[in-house]
Structures are given as C-alpha cells and as structure tokens.
Amino acid sequence: MQIFSKTSLVLATLASLSLTSTTISATNTKTLNVYTYDSFASDWGPGPKIKANFEQQCDCTLNYVTLDSSVGILSRVQLEGSSSKADVLLGLDLNLMEAAKESGLIIEHDVDTSKVTTPGGWSDKSFVPFDQGYFAFIYNTETLKDIPQSLKEIVENQDLSVIYQDPRTSTPGLGLMLWMKSVYGDDADQAWQTLASHTKTVTKGWYDGYSMFLKGEADVVLSYTTSPAYHMVVENESKYKAAPAVEGFYPQVEVAAQLKDAPNPELAGQFMQFILTQGFQGEVATGNWMFPVIELGDALPKAFSGLEQPTKVLTLPAEQVAANRKQWINEWLDSVTQ
Amino acid sequence: MRLVFFGSMFVINMLPAMLIILVFSVVGIASFTALLLFQDLSNWYQVLSSRYIWRLLNFSLWQALLSSTLSLLIAIPVTSALMHRRFKGRDFLLQLFSISLVVPTIVAILGIVVVYGRSGWVTGVSGVELPLYGLFGILLAHVFFNMPLAVRILIQAHGLIPAGQWRLSYQLGFSRWNLFRWVEWPYLRKALPGAFLLIFMLCFSSFAVVLTLGGGPKSSTLEVAIYQALRYEFDIAKASVLSLLQVFVCTLVAFLVYRFASVYQQDFSLKRLDSFPVKDSLKARCFDLCFLCLALLILLPPFIAILTPIFSPLFITTLWQENTWLALWVSIKIAFPSAVLSLVIAMAFVVMARACMDKPGWSWLPNKLEYMGGMILVLPSLVMATGLFLLLRNLGVAAFDLAYWVVVWVNAIMALPFVLRVILPTFYQQEKRYRKLYQSLGIRGVARFRLEWPMVRQAVAQACAYALLLSLGDMSVIALFGSQGLTSLPLYLFQLIGSYRIEQGACIAVILVLLCFVLFSLCSRVIGGKRNA
C-alpha cells in the first residue's frame, strides 16, 4: 500500500513537472538548431558572439549542436536522415559541397550573394559562404632562412623538411592534393614522389601536424595563410609566416546550408540572410582565424591586412573534384608509398 | 547431464547473470546487424580485390606482431625485477604503469616528439638526430603504451604463485635464474597468450600513432581505411566489410596463438602467504637494475615532457577556468557509470564461467569467454557506436537524445576486455581452490561473496581503475555522439588544439593525467584495501 502511494506521488510530481515544462515552452521563443564544428561554437570561437548578435534581431534562441569536424557535421545529418532536428549546417567546405548536395538533405537559399568576395564571386544556389582562406605552408622566420617562394620550391627543395596532413582524413590534406593537382596537372605523381623524399611525416589531422611543427619537428607545415594572424593577435608573436606561392594559392571556403526538413524553415532562412551581414562577418576573422567573405573595410583587424595575399587563385571545378577525388587520392597513395 | 545443468535451482541462481549477458549479446549483435544491412557481396569483392587493402593488412599485421612481441619481451624481466625488489618510488612506478595506456594519442605523440624529435632532448644532449619517423617511432610509442599494460597483467599472474613453491625454492637454495626458470616462468607463461593478444589487437587497430610516427601513408593500418570509409566517404557498407575483415584476421591470430600456446589451466594452488627471501647475487642485481632502468627510460621522459606545463602560468589560468571544471565533471559523469556497468557485465561473465567450469560438456566455455571478451577490441569504437546509432534509428529512437547513455554503454563495452583480463584469473583460481569447500559447507551467494572479497578485491580494484581510466580517455565515441553539453576532458583538449591553443591543450592533458593518478590510487585504496601494490 505504501509503495503504491509512493508511486502515485512520483507520478503526480512527474505530471506536474511535464505540465510546467509545456507551459514554459509555449510562452518561450522558437529555437534554431545550427550544426557546426566544435571550435566554431567554443568560447574562444566566433559562435557565442554571433549567437548574441543574431538573437538580438530574431526573437529566438540559437542553439549550436557541435560535432568534431566539418566532415562530422555532414555524416551526422546523413546518419539522422529526415528525422534530423537541424535547421542549418554551418561549417562544410568547398570539397564537401557535392556530397552534401547528393545527400538530398538541403534546399536552395534565396540569399543575395553578389557582394561576396570569394575568388570569382559566388553563384552557388545551395550554399552561402561564411569565411575564406588559402592553404599555405607556414615557416618559422627564426629557424628557416632560405624562404621557399613557390609550391615548386617546397616540393623540390630536398633540404626542407615538410609536414602535411593526410588527404584521406583531413581538410587541409585534401586542399594540398587539389593545389598540387592544379599546379602540376598530370605530373602530380612525380611531384608527390619528390615531396615524399623529404617529408617528415603525414598526420591524421591539422592539429597533429601543426603542433609537431610548433615543437620544431619540421621546417614547414601545411596550414592556412591566416595562421600567422593567430600568433600575432593572441600571442603577440610574429615569427611565424606563410610562404608565398608564385603559382597561386588554393582557396578554402567554408559554407552554410539550410536543411530541407528544417523544423523552423523561416528562422533558418533568416539566419542564412544574417550570415552575410556585419553581425556575423565581423566575428570570423579573430574568432575563426579566417577572412570574412564580404568587404569589411576598417573593421578587419590589422594583423589580417599584413598577411600573405595570393597573386593568383587556383580553383578546380567542384564537379571535377567530386568525380576525380578517389582517383587522385589513389595517385597520391601510389606515389608516396613507392 | 544437460538436464541437471538446467536444473531449476541453477537457472534461478544464474538468472541475473544470464540476463545481463543476454542484453549484452543482443545489443552487440543487433548493432552489428544494423551495419551489415548496408552491404552486399560486391562490397566484399571490391575490398578483397584491392591491392591497397592487402598492403594495409600486411603492414598492420607486421607492426602489431613486432610491437606486441617487443612489449612482452621487455615486460617479462621488468615484472620479475619489480616483484623481487622493494625500492623507493616503486608504488609510484606501478601507478605510472597503469596510466600510460590512457594518455590521449596526440599527447603521447607530442611527448615522444619532445624527447626524441628533431629539436628534442635526446638530440639536444647528444647532437645526434634519431630516425624517429618509421618503424622505430611506431615501436617506441607502442612499447610506451603497452609494455606497462603487459607488466600489470604479468604482475597479476605472478601473484598467483603459491607460497609452497616459494618456500620450496627457498629451501632448495635456488638462484635467481633457477627461481625464474622453475617457479615464475610457468606462471607468467600462462598469462602470455592473453596479454599478447590484447596488445596485438590494440596495436593492430592503432591509427594516429602508426600514421604520424610511421612517417606517412607507407605506414597505415586497416583502421585508417575504416575511418576513411566511415567519415570521409560515408560508405557504411565498406566500413562494415573492413571491420569484419579486421575481426576475421584477429580471430585467426587468436586461434593460432591459442593453438600453439599452452592451454590456460589454473591449478589448485594455495594462497600466497609471505614471500621468502631469495638468494641474491651481483649478477641478479645488475640484471634487475638494467631492466628497471630500461623501463624507466622508455616511460619516464615522455611523461615528464607531458607534465612539464604544470609549471607554466597558463596552467594556473586553466585551473581557474570554468570550462576546465565543466569538462572534468562531464568526464567523471561518464567514467563512473560506465566503469560500474563494465564491472557488472564482467561479473556476469565471471559468474557464468565459474558455474560452467565443472559442468561436464561445458568446461570449454570459460576459456572461450575470456577470448570472446577480448574480441571487442578489434571492433573500432567508431564502428560500434555507428552500429548502435543505426540500431536505435531503426527502432525509431532518436539516438542523439540518448547521447549520454550511448556513450556510457559503448565505453563500458570497450573497457570490458581489460576488465575481464584482470579479474578472470583471480576469480577462476578462487573457484578451483575453494569450490568444494564452499559446497560442502553450503556457503552460497552473499555469504560466499563476503568470504571471497578480501581475496579478490585487489583484482576488482585494478579492473575498476582500468574501466574508469579508459572511459576518461575516450575520444572517438564521444566525438560521434557528443553535443554541446557533453564536452569531456579529452574532447575539450582536442577543441583547444584544434584552434591553435596547443599550450592550453597541454595543460588539459596534465589535468587528465593527474585525474587518472588520483582515480587510480582512489580505486586501489577504497576497493583494493590498504595492502596493495
């Protein structure tokens, strides 16, 4: 008997609890779920400020669901399928766009992208870019005297020890593969072999390689042209520089997309518009250590204006990349494992 | 005979254990089936006809074989030395031995790079640059991770040597070598196949260490291909085929190891009481000293490198940050339930195995159980988590709402092989020694457990510590299922180094290692009792 009364008491409490929670959610504003990678939403990333800026104008709550990487974002929604609670995906990149489109999970946006400053402008109807940068090799000015002036010099200088990331498992690694392909074309296999002879190691992710470089393991490491800005702004350290490349740099553009089955399509649309405004773009430079995709003028931090700029931008068409990616990865593998 | 076995009394007694094992097996098989639904025969053909996959397989096998053999070769004399000598810092060393396994890979790699790398300590002192990248680096890292694990397992086996044998060898005036040859070796040898397999499987599925310290894609394992298929190609079919291939190869190796190794037979030996002094000699002393120094040389420098940030001002800043403590809390919140769960499942295995030991026709089960538990290791946790996710999705459950429980469950399962390896020998021995006594006195259930507890608590403590530490160090499961509210210490560490904050990441690594130390000694004290190695 006593057990019975206890159970009913618990049930009653639970019922009242659920009642209160429903009343709260009825009066509360809507929640926009944005899937992004963890460093974007972290305290030191651009996420918190962007959230505050957006919430000021939307009368809603912006909720970040964080994944471990940009690939993680895509595989998560692919796993969830149409039952996903995601409204917006934030943090895919150029090379994931085709795969994301093929998944059939995203819809086209109606954002005016004419102001976008990515190389060659932006015309894609499914994705809105939110930041950009270029892959580059970083060196330490205190230890490296003979500065490579081009990708060719990095590939061919046998005295230069190099660390880069695996194109099978990391974004910059894939970026380098495309960079090599656009510089060397059909001779890329030869170039990979030459590079392999003075490669210190190839790492799984960006962080392994970059931290090993900071410990002094290699002369140059593959990263972004914007990397030195972090050291300048946060550590007040200017010894790290990006090596120039006369052939041109290969770009990295990070993009956002709205989901077809977004629970809050209106809010999601509003957020897509917000991406190309000052409230979002003003935070990406020192938050995500990338360039904004619209002209910010004086609002861009000083450290960024002194960074290595591309003399030319190399890009391979997305369809060509998607069609040949596996084959190019195999070419890389065969060349470097010989 | 079967009828007696399934007698009603027996079934009632075994019911809880059976239920737990049933849940464990059903969830495991169902998750894997969820993955298998995605594949057809053409996947198998595609995978098996790929030269690349065979090359990976070949290299995985080769390096795993070398790494595990080397780890054991060093571990055997080190164990013997540790058991014969008492010196200052011995307890500390033993704790250090338990922790190396759970240091996050990237932290260990950076530790090794700081010591042996181009700008490392060794190069700084000697002026000679070591050829770190290649087989040398892989072996160094794998021995760093696994030799201590082997020592802990062998120490356990060493503890099973009965007092009578020590007494006898003392009376016969055995030299240190004869003692090892005739007393210690037969016992250590029994633990070798199990330890070898455990380490072999760990090295076989090692990923970042092999790629990074191996110097590039020439050194890749099958695990790289699984990760690539699952994350970058979203090819679940290929990933499951590759995982099955991995399971198959490891089963084959396990079969060969057990085929040619002596069968694990526990004897009726009496409990060890006191150790007897052994005839010492200069040669024996030099020998012990050499191997202890070697162990220290492998283990200590990377640890010192990892712990150096403790003196930086940034460490204090990190300690004052709320995020650090939040991550610490999440780690503990995950580690404790999954350690308990892991122990509960392991105990169910133990109860079942013990019950079967003297049942005619079922005595094969205990041996197989231990090895089945070990097979979990070769299933990448990422694959396991994905399978579980797909299973939940097929059942109409939103897996990410259950993220916390999924992480706890998968971590508990991942720790199971270690837990089993630690507690099974001790419990088996208890069973063999006292079963008849308990039976004749009619001591059962709780009463029996209370009598047994003092004799098994050390093993349980160590098992619990391993389960805790492994869950603390987990990275892949929580990365797949994690969300905003679920940032554990390792995940926080990766977030930091993923956005240039490498120094602060190093501070978090220190906190993680210190936490492991604290939890390990806590387990030893609270569960293992005062008298504990």
Side-chain angles (χ1 to χ4, degrees):
Chain A
M1 201 55 207
Q2 210 189 349
I3 292 172
F4 184 70
S5 64
K6 260 188 189 165
T7 324
S8 52
L9 188 72
V10 171
L11 280 178
T13 331
L14 276 178
S16 61
L17 269 177
S18 64
L19 270 180
T20 36
S21 66
T22 38
T23 41
I24 287 172
S25 59
T27 52
N28 211 345
T29 48
K30 283 181 176 169
T31 301
L32 178 74
N33 279 319
V34 174
Y35 282 19
T36 187
Y37 49 84
D38 44 25
S39 60
F40 189 91
S42 64
D43 284 354
W44 55 86
K49 283 182 188 148
I50 288 171
K51 174 181 154 79
N53 292 347
F54 185 63
E55 284 175 353
Q56 268 177 10
Q57 64 171 68
C58 74
D59 186 34
C60 69
T61 310
L62 198 166
N63 176 40
Y64 291 116
V65 175
T66 53
L67 290 313
D68 62 340
S69 61
S70 53
V71 181
I73 300 172
L74 185 59
S75 63
R76 170 83 151 239
V77 285
Q78 278 179 312
L79 274 174
E80 289 179 328
S82 54
S83 64
S84 176
K85 285 181 187 145
D87 292 299
V88 172
L89 306 182
L90 189 72
L92 306 181
D93 63 29
L94 282 180
N95 304 312
L96 286 172
M97 279 165 46
E98 277 300 310
K101 266 184 216 172
E102 276 170 24
S103 74
L105 292 167
I106 53 174
I107 55 163
E108 296 195 345
H109 62 80
D110 53 0
V111 180
D112 174 18
T113 54
S114 58
K115 292 179 296 178
V116 167
T117 58
T118 52
W122 191 264
S123 57
D124 191 278
K125 289 308 291 171
S126 303
F127 300 91
V128 174
F130 70 87
D131 66 16
Q132 58 176 327
Y134 303 94
F135 298 109
F137 282 94
I138 306 296
Y139 65 93
N140 181 344
T141 48
E142 284 173 8
T143 51
L144 190 69
K145 297 298 167 216
D146 194 11
I147 314 302
Q149 299 296 316
S150 63
L151 183 63
K152 276 205 167 94
E153 283 189 36
I154 287 175
V155 169
E156 280 159 21
N157 184 354
Q158 294 291 332
D159 298 329
L160 197 72
S161 62
V162 179
I163 291 180
Y164 64 92
Q165 295 83 11
D166 195 321
R168 291 171 296 177
T169 53
S170 97
T171 308
L174 189 60
L176 176 64
M177 193 186 82
L178 301 176
W179 192 9
M180 293 281 279
K181 205 69 203 170
S182 46
V183 169
Y184 287 95
D186 291 339
D187 299 329
D189 52 342
Q190 290 291 322
W192 280 122
Q193 273 183 40
T194 318
L195 181 61
S197 60
H198 56 102
T199 300
K200 196 85 186 202
T201 190
V202 179
T203 61
K204 178 185 170 188
W206 172 84
Y207 51 82
D208 319 38
Y210 203 76
S211 29
M212 286 170 81
F213 164 74
L214 291 183
K215 299 271 183 213
E217 270 313 276
D219 297 323
V220 293
V221 66
L222 179 67
S223 187
Y224 300 92
T225 52
T226 41
S227 299
Y230 170 81
H231 298 287
M232 277 189 260
V233 174
V234 178
E235 297 170 346
N236 206 13
E237 176 66 80
S238 53
K239 66 181 177 189
Y240 298 108
K241 289 259 186 304
V246 290
E247 305 97 333
F249 282 124
Y250 200 89
Q252 156 79 331
V253 180
E254 293 192 285
V255 299
Q258 181 180 338
L259 279 132
K260 196 161 70 185
D261 299 313
N264 298 299
E266 271 170 46
L267 265 182
Q270 201 182 335
F271 185 76
M272 297 297 285
Q273 300 283 349
F274 174 72
I275 289 173
L276 293 183
T277 62
Q278 179 81 29
F280 189 112
Q281 292 297 312
E283 308 300 337
V284 294
T286 52
N288 223 23
W289 305 103
M290 292 287 270
F291 286 109
V293 291
I294 59 169
E295 210 54 68
L296 281 183
D298 293 341
L300 189 71
K302 250 194 188 150
F304 279 77
S305 51
L307 295 177
E308 197 65 42
Q309 289 293 336
T311 46
K312 194 180 149 197
V313 178
L314 310 161
T315 351
L316 297 168
E319 305 80 50
Q320 197 191 340
V321 173
N324 293 306
R325 188 167 140 179
K326 269 191 186 168
Q327 189 203 327
W328 290 344
I329 284 185
N330 284 336
E331 179 188 69
W332 164 77
L333 254 179
D334 284 337
S335 319
V336 296
T337 51
Q338 263 177 17
Chain B
M1 254 349 185
R2 296 280 161 92
L3 258 167
V4 180
F5 176 72
F6 284 113
S8 59
M9 206 43 215
F10 181 80
V11 171
I12 291 168
N13 283 340
M14 290 296 116
L15 203 59
M18 281 177 173
L19 270 179
I20 293 169
I21 293 179
L22 193 72
V23 170
F24 165 78
S25 325
V26 167
V27 173
I29 292 168
S31 319
F32 208 66
T33 318
L35 276 178
L36 293 184
L37 285 178
F38 277 83
Q39 63 173 322
D40 53 67
L41 272 175
S42 66
N43 293 120
W44 278 97
Y45 177 75
Q46 189 200 339
V47 164
L48 290 179
S49 60
S50 156
R51 206 165 54 91
Y52 170 54
I53 298 296
W54 286 106
R55 209 165 50 191
L56 290 186
L57 205 58
N58 186 21
F59 185 79
S60 309
L61 267 172
W62 171 236
Q63 61 84 15
L65 211 62
L66 269 180
S67 304
S68 36
T69 311
L70 193 64
S71 299
L72 284 179
L73 278 182
I74 300 176
I76 294 168
V78 169
T79 307
S80 181
L82 273 170
M83 294 311 282
H84 281 287
R85 309 285 164 188
R86 293 284 177 277
F87 51 90
K88 255 197 187 141
R90 181 176 172 273
D91 290 350
F92 171 79
L93 193 63
L94 283 173
Q95 282 200 0
L96 204 64
F97 273 46
S98 313
I99 286 164
S100 74
L101 184 69
V102 293
V103 175
T105 340
I106 173 68
V107 176
I109 291 176
L110 287 182
I112 286 171
V113 160
V114 166
V115 178
Y116 303 98
R118 185 173 81 153
S119 321
W121 299 344
V122 174
T123 313
V125 171
S126 66
V128 183
E129 196 187 330
L130 294 170
L132 180 62
Y133 299 91
L135 199 57
F136 175 67
I138 297 176
L139 292 181
L140 198 65
H142 278 166
V143 169
F144 171 81
F145 279 117
N146 299 313
M147 182 272 287
L149 173 70
V151 169
R152 295 292 320 202
I153 295 174
L154 292 181
I155 283 180
Q156 199 92 37
H158 204 278
L160 298 177
I161 302 175
Q165 299 201 7
W166 290 117
R167 197 185 305 124
L168 199 62
S169 48
Y170 170 64
Q171 285 161 351
L172 294 172
F174 270 13
S175 71
R176 189 52 208 294
W177 167 249
N178 278 328
L179 187 72
F180 177 79
R181 174 71 189 83
W182 300 109
V183 180
E184 293 171 70
W185 174 242
Y187 279 84
L188 294 183
R189 208 180 61 178
K190 285 176 194 161
L192 283 183
F196 174 83
L197 267 186
L198 190 68
I199 296 171
F200 177 85
M201 288 174 189
L202 282 173
C203 297
F204 189 80
S205 55
S206 165
F207 177 173
V209 165
V210 174
L211 184 66
T212 307
L213 291 178
K218 252 184 200 165
S219 330
S220 323
T221 53
L222 209 53
E223 192 88 354
V224 177
I226 295 176
Y227 183 88
Q228 184 191 0
L230 204 57
R231 297 305 299 275
Y232 277 77
E233 295 164 3
F234 198 71
D235 194 342
I236 295 179
K238 194 172 162 197
S240 62
V241 168
L242 289 171
S243 326
L244 272 182
L245 189 64
Q246 182 153 320
V247 171
F248 177 74
V249 171
C250 288
T251 314
L252 203 68
V253 171
F255 176 77
L256 288 176
V257 166
Y258 280 112
R259 178 80 181 71
F260 293 111
S262 60
V263 184
Y264 199 94
Q265 289 256 325
Q266 206 67 64
D267 23 21
F268 289 77
S269 48
L270 281 167
K271 191 176 170 303
R272 182 177 179 181
L273 302 167
D274 298 295
S275 55
F276 285 82
V278 179
K279 212 164 91 181
D280 209 355
S281 67
L282 187 66
K283 218 163 85 184
R285 260 188 230 172
C286 287
F287 189 78
D288 285 346
L289 189 70
C290 280
F291 274 97
L292 285 177
C293 284
L294 179 67
L296 277 178
L297 212 63
I298 293 170
L299 214 56
L300 264 191
F303 259 113
I304 295 173
I306 291 167
L307 292 175
T308 334
I310 208 168
F311 301 111
S312 69
L314 189 62
F315 185 71
I316 309 292
T317 324
T318 311
L319 271 187
W320 280 107
Q321 280 167 353
E322 197 194 348
N323 276 340
T324 309
W325 295 98
L326 280 176
L328 190 95
W329 168 236
V330 168
S331 287
I332 288 177
K333 208 169 69 177
I334 291 169
F336 273 89
S338 62
V340 171
L341 188 61
S342 199
L343 274 179
V344 168
I345 299 175
M347 282 312 293
F349 271 92
V350 166
V351 169
M352 276 303 282
R354 291 218 298 197
C356 294
M357 269 169 107
D358 64 333
K359 304 282 175 205
W362 289 85
S363 50
W364 51 271
L365 194 69
N367 284 329
K368 293 285 173 296
L369 269 181
E370 188 183 349
Y371 140 77
M372 262 159 49
M375 289 313 290
I376 295 165
L377 271 188
V378 292
L379 264 192
S381 51
L382 196 62
V383 172
M384 202 192 297
T386 308
L388 193 57
F389 173 84
L390 290 171
L391 170 70
L392 290 171
R393 195 181 77 174
N394 293 347
L395 293 175
V397 185
F400 291 113
D401 299 342
L402 297 173
Y404 170 72
W405 292 107
V406 174
V407 171
V408 166
W409 172 265
V410 179
N411 276 333
I413 303 297
M414 296 308 289
L416 200 56
F418 298 87
V419 173
L420 283 177
R421 178 80 57 229
V422 173
I423 65 172
L424 275 182
T426 309
F427 274 92
Y428 282 2
Q429 197 187 33
Q430 287 298 315
E431 180 73 8
K432 288 224 159 169
R433 278 175 187 163
Y434 301 118
R435 187 202 312 123
K436 294 220 166 69
L437 186 63
Y438 286 130
Q439 271 174 356
S440 62
L441 294 175
I443 300 173
R444 273 206 312 267
V446 179
R448 175 172 170 183
F449 181 74
R450 279 173 60 182
L451 284 172
E452 264 187 346
W453 177 242
M455 263 111 45
V456 296
R457 60 191 296 182
Q458 274 192 31
V460 174
Q462 208 194 330
C464 182
Y466 265 133
L468 269 179
L469 267 49
L470 285 167
S471 308
L472 273 185
D474 163 63
M475 185 40 220
S476 51
V477 183
I478 198 165
L480 184 69
F481 280 93
S483 56
Q484 189 89 80
L486 217 55
T487 306
S488 64
L489 275 179
L491 209 55
Y492 185 47
L493 190 159
F494 275 81
Q495 282 184 16
L496 285 166
I497 59 176
S499 42
Y500 295 98
R501 286 165 169 74
I502 288 150
E503 301 298 319
Q504 205 186 339
C507 295
I508 295 293
V510 172
I511 295 176
L512 185 65
V513 169
L514 292 181
L515 182 67
C516 288
F517 258 107
V518 170
L519 287 180
F520 197 87
S521 26
L522 214 67
C523 277
S524 308
R525 294 270 153 72
V526 176
I527 304 176
K530 274 183 193 136
R531 195 175 56 83
N532 201 331

